[in-house]
Amino acid sequence: MTRVQPQSLPRRYTLSLSCPDSVGIVAAVSSFVADAGGWITEASHHADEVNKRFFMRQEILADSISYDIDAFRSRFASIAHDFSMHWRIADSAKKKRVVLLVSKQEHCLYDLLARWQSQELDIDIPCVISNHETFRGLVEWHGIPFHHVPVTATNKTEAYAEVARLYDEAQGDVMVLARYMQVLSPELCARYHGQIINIHHSFLPSFIGAKPYHQAFEKGVKLIGATCHYVTEELDQGQIIEQDVNRIDHSDKVEDLVRYGKDIEKAVLARGLRYHLEDRVLVHGKKTVVFK
């Protein structure tokens, strides 16, 4: 199929880091970039006074740097060592490879495919993995490989080993659970720590299990919402990337709640994924710093 071509944007490097807070971090990093001829187009930083930790993100025009990204990494390493930094630098010329996992609910899959097709999300989708055959036709119509990996009570070890194999084969950068209704194994979560993003309704743990919107309707809730978070070994306890809510009232039917909930889930997942792709999310313990 034909995809919409995006307007060309200047190539940029994104430097993100966290380290123990101290005097001179901003000056050291900014001086390093300036000495390389770097033109900083966006800069954000945050000091966590409770944990005494510092977070920073900078976007730099790639063509303004007098050497390539590998040399940048090599030369910046000494500053990173001096300040005990956890850091990374990404190149916008290298598209992130997003592997989607889905079950039988279509709304998040449809939304992400539309954003990919229109280049609103400038990513590669090397494949879609599902425990059902439901969306094979849709995915393959988009020209994307579809892999059916059934998951049962007796084959989970083998199934998740196959998911890992497909993800590695696709050279994935991030795995998105676009309403994938299976609990990933602790081994898979640990292996791809910080690389798996999930979306779910914000009712957990109040309305756990089947039909959460029906349960919420019966309780007469006044707000519904969604949470985008990283997947960890502890179910639905990963670091939160993005959330949103929608106010409802007594006139809304359960069908309205389901519809509102799907709309919020799509928007929150897309925003959370974008923040991750743009290296705007820095994780510290059970929390995140998200530079928007």
Side-chain angles (χ1 to χ4, degrees):
M1 65 176 297
T2 301
R3 296 177 65 198
V4 176
Q5 294 301 313
Q7 293 185 341
S8 179
L9 294 174
R11 181 182 176 189
R12 63 196 182 280
Y13 297 148
T14 301
L15 174 67
S16 53
L17 62 90
S18 69
C19 61
D21 200 4
S22 65
V23 174
I25 302 170
V26 175
V29 174
S30 299
S31 295
F32 173 86
V33 174
D35 290 344
W39 186 342
I40 298 172
T41 60
E42 184 177 332
S44 304
H45 56 81
H46 169 68
D48 183 336
E49 296 182 2
V50 174
N51 295 297
K52 306 300 181 185
R53 195 158 186 88
F54 183 80
F55 303 85
M56 173 184 280
R57 179 184 181 275
Q58 291 189 346
E59 287 190 10
I60 308 159
L61 289 180
D63 290 344
S64 68
I65 298 289
S66 56
Y67 41 78
D68 65 19
I69 195 168
D70 290 330
F72 188 107
R73 289 190 179 99
S74 178
R75 299 184 187 194
F76 189 77
S78 61
I79 292 178
H81 178 269
D82 290 343
F83 288 97
S84 300
M85 292 177 180
H86 293 288
W87 68 285
R88 61 181 178 267
I89 184 168
D91 185 348
S92 67
K94 185 179 183 299
K95 289 186 181 181
K96 301 288 177 60
R97 296 175 66 79
V98 181
V99 173
L100 303 179
L101 274 68
V102 65
S103 290
K104 287 187 173 182
Q105 297 186 38
E106 74 287 348
H107 55 288
C108 288
L109 175 65
Y110 281 15
D111 184 71
L112 293 177
L113 289 177
R115 294 174 192 269
W116 164 81
Q117 194 277 331
S118 66
Q119 293 281 358
E120 180 183 331
L121 287 176
D122 190 20
I123 58 176
D124 286 330
I125 303 179
C127 67
V128 173
I129 303 171
S130 179
N131 56 323
H132 298 281
E133 286 278 8
T134 309
F135 300 117
R136 178 181 291 277
L138 170 72
V139 172
E140 292 182 345
W141 182 82
H142 282 82
I144 300 171
F146 179 90
H147 302 289
H148 178 215
V149 182
V151 180
T152 67
T154 58
N155 80 336
K156 289 188 176 183
T157 299
E158 296 79 8
Y160 291 134
E162 177 64 4
V163 169
R165 186 191 70 80
L166 291 169
Y167 182 75
D168 291 342
E169 184 180 78
Q171 298 180 313
D173 293 303
V174 58
M175 187 185 304
V176 176
L177 309 187
R179 300 306 286 159
Y180 182 69
M181 306 306 290
Q182 293 290 326
V183 178
L184 300 185
S185 67
E187 293 78 15
L188 198 67
C189 297
R191 179 171 176 175
Y192 302 112
H193 181 74
Q195 295 183 49
I196 309 176
I197 292 176
N198 190 26
I199 183 71
H200 66 62
H201 54 83
S202 288
F203 301 135
L204 292 173
S206 297
F207 305 114
I208 195 166
K211 295 188 175 181
Y213 293 107
H214 292 72
Q215 296 180 52
F217 176 78
E218 291 172 359
K219 290 288 187 180
V221 300
K222 305 307 179 190
L223 291 171
I224 61 170
T227 298
C228 177
H229 66 95
Y230 289 113
V231 175
T232 61
E233 296 91 323
E234 191 176 359
L235 181 63
D236 291 332
Q237 297 298 312
Q239 299 91 345
I240 293 170
I241 304 170
E242 176 66 342
Q243 292 179 301
D244 205 350
V245 296
N246 203 6
R247 182 166 289 280
I248 61 173
D249 63 27
H250 58 274
S251 67
D252 288 305
K253 302 178 179 63
V254 66
E255 294 82 7
D256 297 321
L257 270 64
V258 172
R259 177 164 51 87
Y260 300 155
K262 287 182 177 181
D263 286 345
I264 299 171
E265 288 173 11
K266 290 185 291 186
V268 170
L269 178 58
R271 288 203 301 268
L273 176 58
R274 179 181 294 280
Y275 296 153
H276 175 87
L277 295 171
E278 294 180 353
D279 294 287
R280 296 183 180 277
V281 186
L282 289 90
V283 176
H284 178 59
K286 296 182 178 181
K287 300 174 67 175
T288 60
V289 170
V290 182
F291 292 120
K292 300 179 181 180

